[in-house]
Amino acid sequence: MSFVIRKAVKADAKAAHEIRQRAIWAKCVDDYPEAQLKIWTEGGMSERFIADIERAFYVAESEQGVIGTAMLNTENGIGMVDAIFVAPDWMGKGVAKALMVHLETLARQSGVTALKLDATLNAADFYRASGFTGDEISVYRSPYGLELACVPMVKSLN
């Protein structure tokens, strides 16, 4: 099973949104209450989400279409990683790891010396295995009012 990673385009928004929804329900149910998952996944795509897709998203794509997403924001000189989601049938096959490596390469190319992210509780071990550090549990507050326990993490790119 092979895939490529490329810059996302507006036409990828629907697939990216669907992968996000499916991944949350597949991987986060043991770490977050169902009520939070419902709030996290309710509603359709916002204009902001579509703009983010075009501005800062990358997708992993196989012959079946988009199978994973990742977002990197380097606009303020800090590498902020977000939205690494993989279609459930592709989980455990190296897609998230390949997306993370791709983001690190792009961050280095843009002069960023560290990456930061807020890991969901279920993903913290993945990020630790990718070289991120952080153990303190904090609260992520989304622009839409959702509050989720998370683990702020950082990785030096030096």
Side-chain angles (χ1 to χ4, degrees):
M1 297 184 163
S2 65
F3 58 90
V4 297
I5 297 173
R6 63 171 173 79
K7 177 71 183 77
V9 296
K10 187 175 184 175
D12 295 319
K14 184 175 189 251
H17 190 262
E18 289 173 359
I19 287 168
R20 175 185 175 273
Q21 309 297 75
R22 291 174 49 221
I24 289 168
W25 283 103
K27 282 296 196 182
C28 298
V29 294
D30 292 335
D31 294 288
Y32 298 98
E34 185 176 336
Q36 280 187 314
L37 298 180
K38 285 181 178 178
I39 294 168
W40 194 3
T41 58
E42 73 185 357
M45 292 182 293
S46 67
E47 289 301 317
R48 179 180 174 178
F49 180 80
I50 294 168
D52 284 345
I53 292 285
E54 291 184 289
R55 180 182 54 80
F57 266 73
Y58 297 85
V59 295
E61 185 175 48
S62 75
E63 292 175 357
Q64 296 135 341
V66 175
I67 58 167
T69 67
M71 182 175 159
L72 176 66
N73 184 345
T74 59
E75 292 173 359
N76 297 322
I78 300 169
M80 292 297 299
V81 173
D82 199 0
I84 296 183
F85 293 109
V86 176
D89 51 333
W90 280 83
M91 290 176 176
K93 298 180 180 173
V95 177
K97 182 176 171 92
L99 284 163
M100 192 71 248
V101 169
H102 187 75
L103 295 185
E104 287 180 23
T105 299
L106 293 171
R108 282 187 177 98
Q109 290 171 351
S110 71
V112 168
T113 59
L115 292 177
K116 294 183 178 184
L117 56 83
D118 289 321
T120 54
L121 300 178
N122 58 289
D125 287 342
F126 164 78
Y127 291 115
R128 285 186 192 102
S130 298
F132 284 80
T133 58
D135 293 310
E136 297 292 320
I137 294 181
S138 184
V139 177
Y140 167 80
R141 291 173 176 83
S142 82
Y144 310 106
L146 175 65
E147 293 186 357
L148 288 175
C150 69
V151 181
M153 303 184 96
V154 65
K155 178 178 182 175
S156 173
L157 297 179
N158 293 331

